[in-house]
Amino acid sequence: MTLDFLFEVFRENEDEKAIYWLDTSCTYGQLYNDIEKNIEFLKIKGINRGSVVCIVGDYSPSTIGLLLALIVKRCIIVPLTLASLSNKSKLFEIAQVEFLINVGNDKVPYVEKFEEVLRSHTLLDSIRSLDQPGLILFTSGSSGEPKAAVHNFTLLLEKFKKKRKALRTINFLLFDHWGGLNTLFFILSNGGVVIGAHDRSPGNVCALIEKHKIQLLPASPTFLNLLLLSGSTTDFDMSSLEIISYGTEPMPKSTLKRLQIHFPDVRLLQTYGLIELGVLRSKSQSNDSLWVKVGGEGYETRVVDEMLEIKAQSAMLGYLNAPSPFTDDGWFKTGDSVEVKGEYIKILGRKSELINVGGEKVYPQEVENIILDFRNVADVTVYGEKHPLVGNIVCARIVLKESEELKIFKSHLKKYCAKRMKKHMAPVKIILSNDKMFNNRFKKTRMQ
């Protein structure tokens, strides 16, 4: 059975705490015993092998128990968050969802069945014919319609059979993203403790770290920047932290430097993963380095024309609503531009975010790294804007730490940039903003 390796861990740790969520908790034994109850619940609701089921929730015992039961039942699972439901009709149409299970805040799950569903797609038929559980994950859709990646769930779970250190971990990354699910299965497969974060504000995350003596904090660079700016880390005891892992987007050099100063005894680990492939094993060259080695068992990497390509045993079968992104020999084009130094790579940014200024390439992250070191800058988003003469100009939307007159700030920033970057990289348009520059996944958004 797909989850036999996991249930063995549950039985070995039956009296140990597995999950903390709000004011509730459950042991591994309770989680294991709930599987059969959840399977019977699914049967009563008419959810059978091969059904496409959307489960909406967070990392509560009820949500996790139902997720595991759906895997055992060999359903095709579409995990979403409450925020994702704003685009429900479109996502459900793409994924051909037959059932919705809305768990809420650990209450009795609400189940809705959709009668009129087109139950036909070669990828979904393939999962059913293999008699395996499936997983459908959606890309963020920041540059158009979100793409639905179809996985054989069993292949994604294979890597968790290898034992690692058991850690007390906050499941920060969201339920509808493989980064969050990867954390969940990593913790459960090693007998660690999952701490769910209903409130992902910096203050509450720090409070949870103190309360539960959390050892591992997996987060995005955007959130880690917010965490440092908030000052919350000084209000709580953070001494239990052993590892801060970061991924989902490039890490600004200034943020990494401040993290190292603020957490001198904590290991800072860059991770790399994609919805289409899963999360690769990674090793940062050092705590203060953006150079990282990625790969591990089941993964091969290569760089073609400065772009990273990956071949993975756990790769998705394909998209439900887009052409295959794989080369003829099975390599996935990540869209990430990288530099190479021996076994290590440094991610420069997404090819889709590249700004072409009069034939010169500008990576937003490179400009942001410089501006973030300028006085009074809390955050910055660099993006391109069409221009009739040079094709595009570089624009910067900036959040200040303290209020300042725009004219004076712009004058000083332009002088600063002129000394530290090439002319074509310097922002032509500078906008001060109080709006957040990230989405619900705490990932930077570059749309105007």
Side-chain angles (χ1 to χ4, degrees):
M1 188 186 292
T2 300
L3 293 181
D4 279 350
F5 76 98
L6 198 61
F7 295 155
E8 183 179 336
V9 176
F10 290 10
R11 290 190 291 268
E12 290 172 354
N13 297 275
E14 63 177 344
D15 295 326
E16 302 296 328
K17 293 293 186 185
I19 305 164
Y20 285 94
W21 172 256
L22 296 175
D23 297 323
T24 65
S25 66
C26 79
T27 65
Y28 275 97
Q30 289 170 326
L31 187 58
Y32 181 73
N33 291 334
D34 282 345
I35 300 296
E36 286 300 323
K37 296 177 185 176
N38 283 318
I39 290 174
E40 184 61 27
F41 172 79
L42 297 174
K43 181 179 179 182
I44 292 170
K45 295 297 181 180
I47 298 174
N48 301 309
R49 187 173 297 183
S51 296
V52 179
V53 183
C54 173
I55 177 169
V56 179
D58 211 326
Y59 298 103
S60 67
S62 289
T63 306
I64 294 170
L66 278 165
L67 173 66
L68 297 176
L70 287 166
I71 294 172
V72 173
K73 192 85 172 172
R74 297 184 181 88
C75 294
I76 300 172
I77 304 158
V78 186
L80 291 181
T81 63
L82 282 173
S84 308
L85 288 182
S86 60
N87 196 22
K88 169 173 105 167
S89 58
K90 184 48 134 180
L91 299 182
F92 283 18
E93 179 185 351
I94 294 170
Q96 299 182 17
V97 170
E98 299 169 77
F99 294 89
L100 166 65
I101 303 178
N102 196 332
V103 181
N105 292 329
D106 215 24
K107 298 176 182 177
V108 177
Y110 164 77
V111 179
E112 183 178 357
K113 181 178 181 180
F114 302 98
E115 301 289 350
E116 301 291 330
V117 177
L118 176 64
R119 204 173 191 264
S120 176
H121 194 288
T122 54
L123 294 179
L124 301 183
D125 291 342
S126 175
I127 290 289
R128 293 178 180 122
S129 66
L130 290 170
D131 197 25
Q132 296 288 343
L135 178 67
I136 299 175
L137 296 170
F138 284 96
T139 61
S140 60
S142 57
S143 58
E145 182 178 85
K147 290 180 284 190
V150 180
H151 283 272
N152 179 338
F153 214 147
T154 301
L155 297 181
L156 284 170
L157 295 173
E158 190 66 27
K159 75 171 188 176
F160 300 108
K161 293 179 180 179
K162 186 170 183 177
K163 296 299 180 186
R164 307 281 175 177
K165 183 179 178 181
L167 295 170
R168 301 175 68 85
T169 304
I170 185 166
N171 228 133
F172 178 84
L173 301 175
L174 298 183
F175 185 65
D176 64 346
H177 192 275
W178 181 245
L181 293 173
N182 181 80
T183 299
L184 173 68
F185 286 104
F186 171 79
I187 302 308
L188 294 181
S189 63
N190 291 293
V193 183
V194 174
I195 293 94
H198 176 66
D199 174 1
R200 288 171 169 82
S201 64
N204 189 60
V205 167
C206 290
L208 289 172
I209 290 171
E210 178 182 89
K211 180 179 179 181
H212 296 287
K213 305 300 180 188
I214 288 170
Q215 297 165 284
L216 169 61
L217 168 61
S220 66
T222 293
F223 174 79
L224 293 171
N225 183 49
L226 292 172
L227 183 72
L228 294 171
L229 290 171
S230 72
S232 298
T233 56
T234 60
D235 297 331
F236 298 92
D237 180 3
M238 310 283 282
S239 61
S240 62
L241 271 183
E242 298 177 14
I243 303 171
I244 294 175
S245 63
Y246 57 91
T248 74
E249 61 183 352
M251 167 68 83
K253 291 179 183 177
S254 60
T255 304
L256 185 62
K257 183 178 178 180
R258 285 184 293 132
L259 280 170
Q260 188 184 23
I261 293 170
H262 205 86
F263 298 102
D265 300 319
V266 175
R267 180 186 173 200
L268 304 178
L269 174 64
Q270 183 175 179
T271 62
Y272 186 83
L274 295 161
I275 279 176
E276 294 88 350
L277 304 178
V279 177
L280 288 69
R281 301 285 181 205
S282 63
K283 180 183 178 182
S284 295
Q285 189 174 44
S286 63
N287 258 19
D288 61 349
S289 175
L290 293 174
W291 291 94
V292 62
K293 188 182 342 181
V294 299
E297 188 176 349
Y299 291 96
E300 297 177 63
T301 63
R302 71 183 185 188
V303 177
V304 178
D305 297 328
E306 300 181 345
M307 306 298 293
L308 180 63
E309 296 184 3
I310 299 173
K311 182 181 283 189
Q313 292 177 7
S314 59
M316 67 171 184
L317 302 181
Y319 295 123
L320 287 176
N321 58 333
S324 172
F326 296 97
T327 63
D328 291 339
D329 54 350
W331 291 82
F332 179 79
K333 297 183 176 183
T334 66
D336 285 322
S337 178
V338 298
E339 288 182 15
V340 180
K341 184 173 67 175
E343 295 182 293
Y344 291 86
I345 61 171
K346 182 165 69 174
I347 300 168
L348 302 177
R350 303 288 293 171
K351 182 180 180 181
S352 59
E353 295 171 352
L354 190 68
I355 305 168
N356 191 315
V357 181
E360 298 282 356
K361 295 178 181 179
V362 178
Y363 285 100
Q365 182 69 39
E366 193 174 359
V367 180
E368 290 168 358
N369 281 339
I370 296 171
I371 294 176
L372 281 168
D373 277 333
F374 186 58
R375 60 166 184 80
N376 201 25
V377 174
D379 200 5
V380 57
T381 298
V382 170
Y383 59 94
E385 191 173 281
K386 295 293 183 184
H387 190 276
L389 297 179
V390 293
N392 295 277
I393 57 171
V394 177
C395 307
R397 192 156 50 96
I398 296 171
V399 176
L400 298 179
K401 295 176 182 176
E402 298 177 359
S403 180
E404 185 174 345
E405 186 179 337
L406 176 61
K407 186 176 180 180
I408 295 174
F409 176 80
K410 286 173 66 173
S411 175
H412 290 167
L413 178 62
K414 287 187 175 183
K415 290 177 183 177
Y416 171 85
C417 290
K419 294 178 181 179
R420 288 165 176 81
M421 63 180 74
K422 295 177 181 177
K423 185 177 180 181
H424 68 272
M425 296 170 60
V428 175
K429 181 184 287 189
I430 298 170
I431 302 168
L432 297 186
S433 173
N434 291 319
D435 297 333
K436 70 176 187 178
M437 300 183 182
F438 53 91
N439 59 23
N440 66 317
R441 293 179 178 177
F442 288 92
K443 186 175 179 180
K444 188 180 286 290
T445 53
R446 300 195 185 279
M447 304 297 287
Q448 284 183 252

